[in-house]
Amino acid sequence: MLKNKITRTLLVATSLSLTLAACSDKPEEKTIVKKSPDASASTEIKLAKVQELVRNNGSEVASLDPHKSEGVPAAHVIRDLLEGLVNQDSDGNTIPGVAVSWETKDNKTYTFHLRQDAKWSNGDPVTADDFVYSFQRAVDPNTASPYSWYFEMTTMKNAADIIAGKKDKSTLGVKALDAYTLEINLDSAIPYFVMMMGHTTTKPVHKATIEKYGEKWTKAENFVGNGAYVLSNWVVNERLELVRNEQYWDNANTKLTKVTFLPIESQVAAMNRFLAGEIDMTYELPNEHFRNLQKEHPESVSIKGDLCTYYYNFNTHKPPFDDVRVRKAISYSIDRGIISDIILGQGQKPAYFLTPEIVANFSPELPAYGKITQDERNAKAKTLLEEAGYNDSNPLQFSLLYNTSDNHKKIAVAIASMWKKNLGVDVILENQEWKTYLESKKQGDFQVARAGWCGDYNEASTFTSLMEGKNTTGGIHYQSAEYDKLTADALRATSEEQRQALYYAQEALLAKDMPLAPIYQYVKARLVNPHVGGYAKNNAEDKLYSKDMYIIAE
């Protein structure tokens, strides 16, 4: 039996690492004592009187319904509002959420034991039935969840057939053994399944609230959640405000009383508001100001590895990108070194894979085009384009779609210049705000589109699964029976070595078919006010829980 040894260790460590020190009743005199895991050293930190955090969130969220949302901005907010079976600590380790422990004998049947003090914000207990209802809702075709495929990736019993409309949602492999015991049955052994339960789509929702309010359940006046915070105010395109959920099981150890998310798309505007003291944490940094910020405000610049890849997606079902020669030519002629080292210059790495090398146990061999010089790539690109029928007398023309962002625009302008110089290609840059951009990609209404993918868990399949034929999340429109077979084989693999070899084969096939052009592997660079404590700078997935943060007295 595979016991939850890491969880038990973390629970003990957590109880030692953060405790409230004795203090008076005055808010401004509260302190916390942070101890090392072995309790050999400790640091006393005085908390500010006002425990409020203002975070820039990059763009307006499309939805706060975990079964209808997509994109990182929504995930940041939902993580505060709803709590799933598991969470992550500051180092990215999987730790208890609503589930206090779990076990499996075969990596196919998992039993989760839920904490009995977990409550919804209206006081109702959080039970195993809530997860049964929520998981069934996520795969129900009537919900039209953009992430329903994620449950299929877990191989949860009957998920694929339910999503396809072949079976009823009640047949999903999830059941409540009693009020606080949840059993999940898979069709295939998935050793990293518990890790997958940290994803936004696996968060529970309150059945009675949804049945009463329908689509309007996420309005502030209707919202019921089980996370550390509840929604108090939502002014679209202006701000999202959260306040403490007094019913949350760990509310006594939650420090921040209010969290505000601002949908500022301009990195420069966010930077200026940070420097003016109006924001505590930015979403990212404006590239052209990075070096100056490092010089003038080194205490505020935070850089960490990130489980994300930036790429350009080709619509392989429409001319001219239904021709692999065109796709390869356009990909080869992108000078990734200029983008990562000069345009960005924050530690990003040139990308030749969809899966970033920060992923655990992932170290594939570079594809052939990644081993040659940029001049050689440009020459190959020109030859491929001529073979496809494009030349000086018949230049290639296409549009490049990107969502509103200073940084995305700078990269698009730079790459369009490379294409023009190296291949004589004419590119029309098309900018759309986030919701419209998502819909355009989903409908296939683009030729080339800027995209990024961040891992849902720290294992290569969170990236390779994106390219399955049945998966159109993020505007992917790639169909390959060979690729899909490799995915199926990886799910059936009985060893880590077999799975890794299949992931490498998938990346090799992507380099051959080139349905997308990987550009760089992310780092997360943002401004964080030094008075923000508990910022998870070592979390590769950038899962930042406001409940773990606090404001230090200055």
Side-chain angles (χ1 to χ4, degrees):
M1 182 175 290
L2 303 176
K3 291 289 187 181
N4 184 15
K5 296 179 180 177
I6 294 178
T7 295
R8 293 200 299 270
T9 302
L10 286 168
L11 282 171
V12 173
T14 301
S15 67
L16 292 173
S17 65
L18 187 62
T19 58
L20 279 173
C23 59
S24 71
D25 292 331
K26 295 181 180 180
E28 66 270 29
E29 294 181 357
K30 285 186 178 179
T31 60
I32 57 174
V33 177
K34 297 202 70 174
K35 296 182 178 180
S36 60
D38 60 1
S40 61
S42 63
T43 303
E44 186 174 280
I45 299 172
K46 186 176 180 180
L47 298 180
K49 179 179 179 180
V50 178
Q51 288 294 308
E52 297 181 0
L53 179 73
V54 180
R55 299 172 56 171
N56 178 34
N57 204 30
S59 63
E60 180 59 76
V61 301
S63 173
L64 288 179
D65 186 327
H67 305 144
K68 297 189 176 184
S69 69
E70 55 184 323
V72 175
H76 280 314
V77 182
I78 292 172
R79 196 172 294 122
D80 282 351
L81 295 172
L82 298 167
E83 183 170 80
L85 294 169
V86 296
N87 295 326
Q88 282 189 6
D89 67 10
S90 60
D91 293 320
N93 299 305
T94 297
I95 61 172
V98 176
V100 291
S101 64
W102 48 86
E103 67 264 352
T104 181
K105 295 179 180 179
D106 56 6
N107 288 329
K108 289 181 70 175
T109 297
Y110 285 83
T111 304
F112 292 85
H113 304 282
L114 311 189
R115 61 176 75 251
Q116 298 188 26
D117 55 348
K119 294 181 180 180
W120 294 97
S121 54
N122 67 349
D124 290 349
V126 179
T127 67
D129 284 325
D130 290 318
F131 284 92
V132 173
Y133 166 75
S134 300
F135 288 6
Q136 289 178 353
R137 179 176 183 261
V139 298
D140 186 348
N142 292 321
T143 303
S145 172
Y147 261 100
S148 59
W149 62 270
Y150 187 80
F151 279 84
E152 188 172 345
M153 276 303 303
T154 70
T155 77
M156 201 173 294
K157 188 176 180 180
N158 292 328
D161 285 341
I162 297 168
I163 294 167
K166 297 178 182 178
K167 290 185 178 179
D168 187 78
K169 63 183 179 182
S170 62
T171 64
L172 186 66
V174 55
K175 60 182 177 181
L177 300 183
D178 57 46
Y180 299 104
T181 309
L182 182 73
E183 182 181 277
I184 300 176
N185 293 286
L186 312 181
D187 286 326
S188 302
I190 303 293
Y192 48 86
F193 175 76
V194 173
M195 192 185 300
M196 296 182 77
M197 289 296 96
H199 188 262
T200 302
T201 308
T202 66
K203 305 291 187 188
V205 291
H206 190 253
K207 180 180 179 181
T209 298
I210 291 176
E211 289 180 340
K212 181 176 181 179
Y213 296 108
E215 296 289 331
K216 296 181 179 180
W217 79 270
T218 55
K219 287 183 173 292
E221 61 269 25
N222 302 333
F223 189 87
V224 173
N226 72 323
Y229 296 87
V230 292
L231 182 63
S232 64
N233 183 37
W234 186 1
V235 181
V236 175
N237 292 323
E238 183 179 318
R239 62 180 54 233
L240 267 161
E241 295 176 335
L242 317 184
V243 296
R244 290 259 290 271
N245 174 10
E246 301 297 330
Q247 299 289 340
Y248 183 59
W249 63 270
D250 199 28
N251 183 54
N253 290 315
T254 303
K255 307 297 183 298
L256 297 174
T257 59
K258 182 179 180 180
V259 182
T260 301
F261 290 87
L262 303 179
I264 305 171
E265 293 182 331
S266 168
Q267 287 86 4
V268 173
M271 175 192 71
N272 289 335
R273 292 187 65 175
F274 177 91
L275 295 176
E278 299 174 11
I279 296 175
D280 299 301
M281 183 188 305
T282 66
Y283 187 72
E284 51 192 0
L285 294 179
N287 296 330
E288 72 275 21
H289 291 278
F290 175 72
R291 289 177 178 81
N292 186 59
L293 287 168
Q294 266 198 323
K295 180 181 178 181
E296 301 294 333
H297 304 278
E299 74 288 347
S300 297
V301 176
S302 171
I303 304 171
K304 67 186 186 67
D306 209 11
L307 202 68
C308 302
T309 297
Y310 192 105
Y311 60 92
Y312 279 174
N313 182 32
F314 300 123
N315 190 333
T316 62
H317 299 298
K318 289 183 177 181
F321 295 102
D322 55 348
D323 189 329
V324 67
R325 295 171 297 185
V326 176
R327 300 196 297 269
K328 284 187 174 181
I330 293 303
S331 176
Y332 289 178
S333 58
I334 298 173
D335 191 330
R336 292 156 172 83
I338 287 179
I339 301 301
S340 63
D341 300 339
I342 298 176
I343 303 297
L344 299 172
Q346 301 164 359
Q348 292 87 349
K349 293 181 62 176
Y352 300 94
F353 313 107
L354 171 61
T355 307
E357 291 158 280
I358 195 175
V359 166
N361 303 314
F362 185 78
S363 55
E365 182 181 359
L366 274 176
Y369 80 96
K371 297 177 180 179
I372 60 179
T373 67
Q374 187 58 47
D375 285 343
E376 291 172 320
R377 279 194 287 270
N378 291 340
K380 284 182 176 290
K382 191 169 184 179
T383 298
L384 286 166
L385 212 55
E386 289 173 348
E387 290 176 359
Y390 298 98
N391 48 45
D392 292 341
S393 60
N394 182 34
L396 175 64
Q397 296 180 325
F398 61 86
S399 63
L400 169 60
L401 174 67
Y402 65 94
N403 57 295
T404 304
S405 162
D406 299 334
N407 288 349
H408 297 333
K409 181 179 180 179
K410 292 181 182 71
I411 292 171
V413 169
I415 291 178
S417 177
M418 295 174 192
W419 288 331
K420 181 66 175 178
K421 177 183 177 182
N422 299 329
L423 303 175
V425 171
D426 293 320
V427 181
I428 300 171
L429 301 183
E430 184 179 358
N431 167 51
Q432 293 180 350
E433 58 85 23
W434 181 251
K435 291 183 181 179
T436 306
Y437 155 84
L438 287 177
E439 188 61 26
S440 294
K441 291 204 304 173
K442 187 180 299 181
Q443 297 301 324
D445 187 16
F446 69 93
Q447 291 182 295
V448 182
R450 171 267 153 192
W453 190 253
C454 295
D456 297 317
Y457 49 95
N458 197 351
E459 210 266 350
S461 62
T462 189
F463 287 89
T464 60
S465 63
L466 179 66
M467 303 306 295
E468 284 189 80
K470 60 195 173 187
N471 187 357
T472 58
T473 298
I476 298 296
H477 298 271
Y478 172 56
Q479 302 287 333
S480 169
E482 182 180 357
Y483 189 93
D484 291 350
K485 183 180 183 301
L486 289 170
T487 298
D489 290 345
L491 288 173
R492 289 192 294 266
T494 57
S495 73
E496 179 72 18
E497 291 74 16
Q498 288 177 315
R499 270 195 305 278
Q500 292 300 329
L502 291 163
Y503 297 150
Y504 297 158
Q506 287 182 302
E507 289 286 357
L509 187 56
L510 292 180
K512 176 185 174 184
D513 290 350
M514 203 65 72
L516 55 79
I519 298 176
Y520 68 84
Q521 298 173 16
Y522 282 56
V523 293
K524 179 56 69 175
R526 59 164 58 97
L527 292 167
V528 181
N529 194 306
H531 70 207
V532 177
Y535 172 68
K537 61 183 179 181
N538 295 321
N539 189 300
E541 294 179 61
D542 202 39
K543 289 189 173 180
L544 308 176
Y545 297 85
S546 296
K547 69 183 181 65
D548 296 331
M549 291 187 268
Y550 47 89
I551 305 299
I552 302 168
E554 296 180 342

